[in-house]
Amino acid sequence: MLRYLDVQTVISLIRKTGVEKSLSLLADYLADDFKRWNEFHKSPRAACHSPQGVIEVMPIADGQFYSFKYVNGHPGNTAKHLPTVMAFGVLAETETGVPILLSEMTLLTGLRTASTSALIAKHLARRNSKRMAIIGCGAQSEFQILAFKAVMGITDVVAFDLDAKAIEKLQRNLAGTGVTIKAASSAREAVKGADIVTTITAAKAKQAVLTPDMVEPGMHINGVGGDCPGKTELHPDVLRNARVVVEYEPQTRIEGDIQQMTGNFKVTEFWKIITGAEQGRSDDQQITVFDSVGFAIEDFSALRMMNDLAKAADAGTALDLIPDLADPKDLFALLTKGA
Amino acid sequence: MLRYLDVQTVISLIRKTGVEKSLSLLADYLADDFKRWNEFHKSPRAACHSPQGVIEVMPIADGQFYSFKYVNGHPGNTAKHLPTVMAFGVLAETETGVPILLSEMTLLTGLRTASTSALIAKHLARRNSKRMAIIGCGAQSEFQILAFKAVMGITDVVAFDLDAKAIEKLQRNLAGTGVTIKAASSAREAVKGADIVTTITAAKAKQAVLTPDMVEPGMHINGVGGDCPGKTELHPDVLRNARVVVEYEPQTRIEGDIQQMTGNFKVTEFWKIITGAEQGRSDDQQITVFDSVGFAIEDFSALRMMNDLAKAADAGTALDLIPDLADPKDLFALLTKGA
């Protein structure tokens, strides 16, 4: 049976589990999968670019499951009252190729990006981190903040956005969650004294949201918005002065903030840190950066979690997307005898 | 709206249109798309191999539509009463990334492979071709024969399979279609005197189903079963003595019968013939070969046709796979306010 989770079913499952609990549970699934990094068949994403945007499929597999996510990126969509990013994904059995789950992933992409940031910060930020600055209060900001609360206990947030209404939306959406969100009047003001700095701005341009003079010793920088060619947020010197961690190096070299650096600029893949193969932070003075772009393994983890949640709750509906053949060698019988 | 066509809906649409009419209509869609070859953004298929098989996504796009097909190949599946090949596909708008059609494609893959073979034979086989030999009477055989009837008027078929029951199944399935199917006791006997030879055997091995001594002057060979690394059907000398036509050269070099030849072995992509950029058959004595492997453009054509048929018949159901956001910048509102 192919189980189908539409948007409302995913919302219901996340609400039933609890948003914060879902984010921390997803961080557990992510940790499990990053620890098994070498068991995965990793492919580059297959991207089709057009003048208006990009459409990608992101496949990955281990011995048990295969997954892919369909995701677009069309900056002009908001003017048409469409989301910039829309996504759905499929989980299949590696041994047979049978698809077992089709799920919405527009919402799940928000969750998995945030849980990945929080998981990686847990391994890189100072242990006593208390305050997070967030630069950019768009569609991802609530997820990021709640993931840092769920995984690291962060409840003290200072937010900045060029659009004051975006900060108000963030404050409104997270009212009653126990997170204090103070509005700053500049990125510089927001960052001052923060333990963790999350940059997650929308402009598709080479920006320097964070410059070296704003960065304090020991900060962890969670750089989320520099995630495709031509879109960066961190000044090159911020990267140069830091220990930089990435998901999957070949992809991040093209899409991440490190696209500004030469090919020999040193980065560390996160799986090496979570497995203990390499050290994380060296001391409380070191500056650490997670250069997030989003990798297929994170969608794999999200689909695996949703499959488990849906099975436990008996949620979703069955789709007849694959024929049930009386004789697998007689496909034509479908046309004469029906499904 | 994302329109969903399940297996039964696709069957109903094909039956309503008529199987042969669907195959010739699809050949028209294919001809339109092959003629626009240079308008397409062509990607290699993204394949995940495992010890049991392969799972692939095959994306392609033009300025209007993007499509991908999910398809597996697991030879051991029949022992588990599962089809060896299962497929589904999505059609989306290139300009926005909005998916508009999700359809079963296990059946459609059978149709599009056959219509492609017939379309290419129409441009390569001798004009007065009357008799087709078919070697291999598996799941694809009925589709191939009906496509050659619909597109080229072929009604005289001689069939061979190592399994006599497979020939009987083929004869039974096509009883009443106006095609005469004579059983041969060997491949050699089937091929003798044929104008067109279709090879479509299942064994994943380097075979020589067709050897040079079996090939007569002027024959067109429709080589369908040699379609992945390690799986060939034509003796190298059959290829050496023929004009060889392929879909998309970079893919066929890896997957087709020409995997047996060196990289400089001359082949012609079909779009050059259908656009008149290159000559097809030179004379009635030339031997022509279509080395079929299946390319994404064919799935694109099939999805485009099904989208038109479904729209005209108002068929299928709507899926809520993509959220409808009141404010595209406020994704989190889904969790607080619902879809």
Side-chain angles (χ1 to χ4, degrees):
Chain A
M1 188 198 96
L2 171 59
R3 190 188 299 268
Y4 164 54
L5 305 182
D6 67 6
V7 176
Q8 190 53 56
T9 305
V10 168
I11 292 170
S12 301
L13 284 168
I14 298 298
R15 274 182 172 171
K16 190 178 159 192
T17 309
V19 178
E20 290 176 39
K21 173 72 184 141
S22 298
L23 287 159
S24 62
L25 183 63
L26 181 46
D28 294 340
Y29 276 82
L30 286 160
D32 285 348
D33 291 333
F34 271 107
K35 282 178 191 162
R36 301 187 300 114
W37 183 261
N38 289 314
E39 293 174 23
F40 285 90
H41 181 288
K42 294 172 280 290
S43 321
R45 50 173 113 196
C48 270
H49 294 272
S50 70
Q52 297 84 15
V54 63
I55 303 178
E56 301 172 335
V57 281
M58 300 166 67
I60 194 165
D62 69 1
Q64 187 180 7
F65 294 120
Y66 166 97
S67 78
F68 76 83
K69 180 170 79 172
Y70 167 102
V71 60
N72 76 305
H74 286 74
N77 271 7
T78 42
K80 300 169 191 161
H81 296 283
L82 289 169
T84 304
V85 174
M86 295 170 276
F88 62 88
V90 168
L91 195 68
E93 293 175 350
T94 303
E95 285 192 16
T96 61
V98 173
I100 57 170
L101 185 78
L102 167 68
S103 177
E104 92 78 37
M105 289 197 81
T106 308
L107 186 59
L108 291 179
T109 297
L111 292 167
R112 68 81 153 140
T113 304
S115 289
T116 303
S117 280
L119 171 68
I120 292 181
K122 199 176 89 177
H123 286 82
L124 281 180
R126 283 174 304 195
R127 289 199 175 272
N128 61 347
S129 292
K130 298 238 174 325
R131 182 198 272 189
M132 177 158 92
I134 186 161
I135 318 292
C137 301
Q140 256 286 307
S141 57
E142 295 91 348
F143 297 95
Q144 285 284 333
I145 291 170
L146 290 184
F148 276 83
K149 175 172 185 251
V151 174
M152 292 193 69
I154 303 284
T155 54
D156 180 6
V157 174
V158 186
F160 174 70
D161 195 292
L162 292 171
D163 176 6
K165 283 194 182 135
I167 308 182
E168 284 162 26
K169 175 217 68 168
L170 172 61
Q171 289 173 319
R172 204 167 48 241
N173 275 339
L174 295 192
T177 59
V179 182
T180 309
I181 300 170
K182 201 181 131 194
S185 58
S186 70
R188 184 174 300 273
E189 184 191 315
V191 165
K192 200 168 167 54
D195 302 298
I196 296 167
V197 177
T198 292
T199 57
I200 184 156
T201 59
K204 192 174 173 183
K206 298 227 170 190
Q207 309 176 86
V209 172
L210 216 56
T211 49
D213 52 304
M214 293 161 73
V215 178
E216 298 168 19
M219 271 183 177
H220 172 67
I221 299 161
N222 174 40
V224 184
D227 63 350
C228 71
K231 186 170 189 290
T232 62
E233 293 181 319
L234 308 179
H235 187 285
D237 286 341
V238 171
L239 296 166
R240 240 171 237 122
N241 299 335
R243 172 151 167 71
V244 177
V245 172
V246 301
E247 292 142 312
Y248 180 52
E249 186 176 337
Q251 189 177 312
T252 311
R253 291 262 176 220
I254 297 163
E255 302 171 3
D257 269 288
I258 58 164
Q259 67 187 268
Q260 306 173 85
M261 315 305 276
T262 55
N264 60 359
F265 178 75
K266 190 184 176 324
V267 299
T268 305
E269 287 183 335
F270 175 62
W271 70 272
K272 291 184 183 165
I273 292 170
I274 199 171
T275 57
E278 284 199 31
Q279 192 186 14
R281 161 177 294 276
S282 63
D283 58 60
D284 277 0
Q285 299 301 301
Q286 190 177 41
I287 296 156
T288 52
V289 169
F290 167 43
D291 187 1
S292 161
V293 297
F295 181 53
I297 199 172
E298 297 150 29
D299 304 311
F300 180 98
S301 304
L303 286 168
R304 208 161 61 77
M305 179 180 85
M306 292 312 296
N307 191 47
D308 290 347
L309 291 178
K311 267 163 59 178
D314 198 18
T317 52
L319 289 191
D320 291 320
L321 193 57
I322 303 296
D324 189 5
L325 301 177
D327 172 3
K329 288 183 183 173
D330 193 358
L331 182 62
F332 190 77
L334 281 178
L335 287 173
T336 49
K337 295 174 193 156
Chain B
M1 187 198 98
L2 171 58
R3 191 189 299 269
Y4 164 54
L5 305 182
D6 66 6
V7 176
Q8 189 54 56
T9 305
V10 168
I11 291 170
S12 300
L13 284 168
I14 298 298
R15 275 182 172 172
K16 191 177 156 191
T17 309
V19 178
E20 288 175 41
K21 172 75 185 140
S22 299
L23 287 160
S24 61
L25 183 64
L26 182 46
D28 294 340
Y29 275 82
L30 286 160
D32 286 349
D33 291 334
F34 271 107
K35 281 177 191 163
R36 301 187 300 115
W37 183 261
N38 289 314
E39 292 174 24
F40 284 90
H41 181 288
K42 295 172 280 289
S43 320
R45 48 174 113 197
C48 270
H49 294 271
S50 70
Q52 297 83 16
V54 63
I55 301 178
E56 301 172 336
V57 281
M58 300 166 68
I60 193 165
D62 69 2
Q64 187 179 8
F65 294 121
Y66 166 96
S67 78
F68 76 82
K69 180 170 80 173
Y70 167 104
V71 59
N72 75 306
H74 286 74
N77 272 7
T78 43
K80 299 169 191 162
H81 296 283
L82 289 169
T84 305
V85 174
M86 294 170 276
F88 62 88
V90 168
L91 194 69
E93 293 175 350
T94 304
E95 285 193 15
T96 60
V98 173
I100 57 170
L101 184 78
L102 167 67
S103 177
E104 93 77 36
M105 288 197 81
T106 308
L107 186 58
L108 291 179
T109 297
L111 291 168
R112 69 81 153 141
T113 303
S115 288
T116 303
S117 279
L119 171 68
I120 292 182
K122 198 176 88 175
H123 286 81
L124 281 180
R126 283 175 304 194
R127 288 201 175 272
N128 61 347
S129 291
K130 297 235 172 333
R131 182 197 273 189
M132 178 159 91
I134 187 161
I135 317 292
C137 302
Q140 257 286 310
S141 56
E142 294 90 349
F143 298 94
Q144 285 284 333
I145 291 170
L146 289 184
F148 276 83
K149 175 171 184 251
V151 174
M152 293 194 67
I154 302 283
T155 54
D156 179 6
V157 174
V158 186
F160 174 70
D161 195 292
L162 292 171
D163 176 6
K165 283 194 181 135
I167 308 182
E168 284 162 27
K169 175 217 68 168
L170 172 60
Q171 288 173 319
R172 204 166 49 239
N173 276 340
L174 295 192
T177 59
V179 182
T180 309
I181 300 170
K182 201 182 132 194
S185 57
S186 70
R188 183 174 299 272
E189 184 191 314
V191 165
K192 201 168 166 53
D195 301 298
I196 297 167
V197 176
T198 292
T199 56
I200 185 155
T201 58
K204 192 174 174 183
K206 298 229 170 189
Q207 309 175 86
V209 172
L210 215 56
T211 49
D213 52 304
M214 293 161 74
V215 178
E216 298 168 18
M219 269 183 178
H220 172 67
I221 298 161
N222 174 40
V224 184
D227 63 350
C228 72
K231 185 169 189 291
T232 62
E233 292 182 317
L234 308 179
H235 187 285
D237 286 341
V238 170
L239 296 166
R240 239 170 240 125
N241 300 335
R243 172 150 167 71
V244 177
V245 171
V246 301
E247 293 142 312
Y248 180 51
E249 184 175 338
Q251 189 177 312
T252 311
R253 291 262 175 221
I254 297 162
E255 302 172 3
D257 269 287
I258 59 165
Q259 67 187 267
Q260 305 173 85
M261 315 306 275
T262 55
N264 60 358
F265 178 74
K266 189 183 177 322
V267 299
T268 304
E269 287 184 335
F270 174 62
W271 70 272
K272 292 184 183 166
I273 291 170
I274 199 170
T275 57
E278 284 200 31
Q279 193 186 16
R281 160 178 295 275
S282 63
D283 57 60
D284 276 1
Q285 299 301 300
Q286 189 177 42
I287 295 157
T288 52
V289 169
F290 168 42
D291 187 1
S292 160
V293 297
F295 181 54
I297 199 171
E298 298 151 28
D299 304 312
F300 180 98
S301 304
L303 287 167
R304 209 161 60 75
M305 178 180 85
M306 292 312 296
N307 192 47
D308 290 346
L309 291 178
K311 267 163 60 177
D314 199 18
T317 52
L319 288 192
D320 290 322
L321 193 57
I322 303 296
D324 189 4
L325 300 177
D327 172 3
K329 288 183 182 173
D330 193 358
L331 182 63
F332 191 77
L334 282 179
L335 287 174
T336 50
K337 294 173 192 157

